[in-house]
Structure formats: C-alpha cells, structure tokens
Amino acid sequence: MENGNIIGKKVWAIAEGYIPSGSTGPKPDFESHDTLCVLNTSDQTANLEVTIYFEDKDPVGPYKMSVPPQRTKHFRFNEFKDPEEVPRDTDYASKIVSDIPVVIQYTRLDSRQAENAIFTTIAYS
C-alpha cells in the first residue's frame, strides 16, 4: 500500500466524555455509552494507548487496545476495565496515542429517556 493511502494522525484528543449510569433500552444495544471509533487504513496493526483525564483526580491509563490492518474497530468506554473502570456520571476527557496514523471519531448514546439521543464528532488531532 502506498503511504498516500494511509490517513490519520498518531495523537488524538476527545475533550468531552460522560457515561450516564441510567439507560432505558435493553443491554447492550441501547445501554448509554461512549464509543471510541478507530479507522486503520495501513497494512500494520495499530497499537493504541488511551489515557483518561478528570476534573478532580489524576489521569488513569494507559488502556491498551489494537486495530488490525485495514479495519475499523469500536471500543466502548463503558467496557474499559484495566487499569480501572471509567466512572459513570463523571465528566472526563481522553487522549489517544497510536504507534501508526489512525482516524478517531467519538460517539455517545444517551438512553436515559425513552427518546434516545446519539451524537458523534471527529476527535481533535
């Protein structure tokens, strides 16, 4: 693959993060969640480290994950366990560092009400 086909950056930030503890929909599809969406267009596995930042305590991380070559993968912040769970009902931000260029998008499903709300945005690179 030519380098021109590899898109993205190695360092990304998501300034917004909040996982509501409440949900009205069935799990796992309609459980309130935040999602880290990763696109890897290269011929190599992308190895990522995520650090979570808080308003009133030290950062937590790294959470380690990988995305196979020429694939996309979605990671729910709700499922981050090691080194610890991401707390619910708490504002947070995240920094994502990859060993190769990737594209990062952030999505939230808020199902605290019967009328679900979903939003998404590209992360800052």
Side-chain angles (χ1 to χ4, degrees), residues 53-121:
Y53 295 85
F54 300 96
E55 214 174 88
D56 58 355
K57 68 178 191 172
D58 290 340
V60 176
Y63 297 86
K64 296 183 179 190
M65 55 206 63
S66 62
V67 180
Q70 300 183 22
R71 296 289 185 266
T72 185
K73 197 161 182 185
H74 294 70
F75 302 94
R76 286 189 181 190
F77 285 88
N78 305 42
E79 297 171 353
F80 288 13
K81 304 291 184 214
D82 186 19
E84 64 184 60
E85 288 188 23
V86 178
R88 305 313 187 254
D89 301 319
T90 303
D91 293 323
Y92 69 91
S94 55
K95 178 178 76 173
I96 301 95
V97 178
S98 177
D99 61 347
I100 61 171
V102 294
V103 175
I104 301 289
Q105 187 168 335
Y106 167 76
T107 301
R108 173 181 297 146
L109 172 67
D110 186 342
S111 68
R112 288 177 285 182
Q113 300 179 44
E115 299 79 19
N116 293 330
I118 190 164
F119 74 83
T120 188
T121 186

Side-chain angles (χ1 to χ4, degrees), residues 12-58:
W12 294 84
I14 302 169
E16 165 61 11
Y18 184 85
I19 305 169
S21 60
S23 298
T24 58
K27 293 182 181 181
D29 293 339
F30 291 100
E31 178 179 19
S32 294
H33 63 270
D34 286 356
T35 302
L36 173 66
C37 311
V38 184
L39 171 62
N40 176 9
T41 62
S42 80
D43 285 335
Q44 303 173 49
T45 295
N47 298 296
L48 290 78
E49 292 189 348
V50 179
T51 303
I52 305 293
Y53 295 85
F54 300 96
E55 214 174 88
D56 58 355
K57 68 178 191 172
D58 290 340

